[in-house]
Amino acid sequence: HAGIPILIDSTEVAPDVLPDVDALRAALASSLHDSRIAILVSPGRTPLPEPVTSAGAVFSSREDALHWLTAPGE
């Protein structure tokens, strides 16, 4: 449903699959315009090409991702 926050946990994903995770983020963003999307990556892992876009944001801390997803108006 549009408007619900989405957390994509890619901490168990191999680095060569990160482009697929980014494609998933873009597809969800285009389908669910009013939903915030956060992608969780392992600390130290090379982040996705654009850490913060209109399609969502990338975090290495689950706590930070959940805070961003649930914070009103940020």
Side-chain angles (χ1 to χ4, degrees):
H1 298 283
I4 61 167
I6 299 169
L7 176 64
I8 300 172
D9 185 342
S10 68
T11 56
E12 299 290 323
V13 173
D16 62 328
V17 180
L18 284 178
D20 295 335
V21 173
D22 196 39
L24 174 61
R25 172 178 62 167
L28 287 170
S30 69
S31 299
L32 303 170
H33 302 286
D34 295 329
S35 294
R36 283 184 163 199
I37 301 170
I39 297 182
L40 185 62
V41 296
S42 297
R45 176 175 285 174
T46 304
L48 296 169
E50 298 180 39
V52 180
T53 68
S54 60
V58 178
F59 298 90
S60 59
S61 161
R62 180 178 294 274
E63 182 178 315
D64 290 346
L66 293 173
H67 174 75
W68 182 82
L69 283 171
T70 58
E74 283 188 21

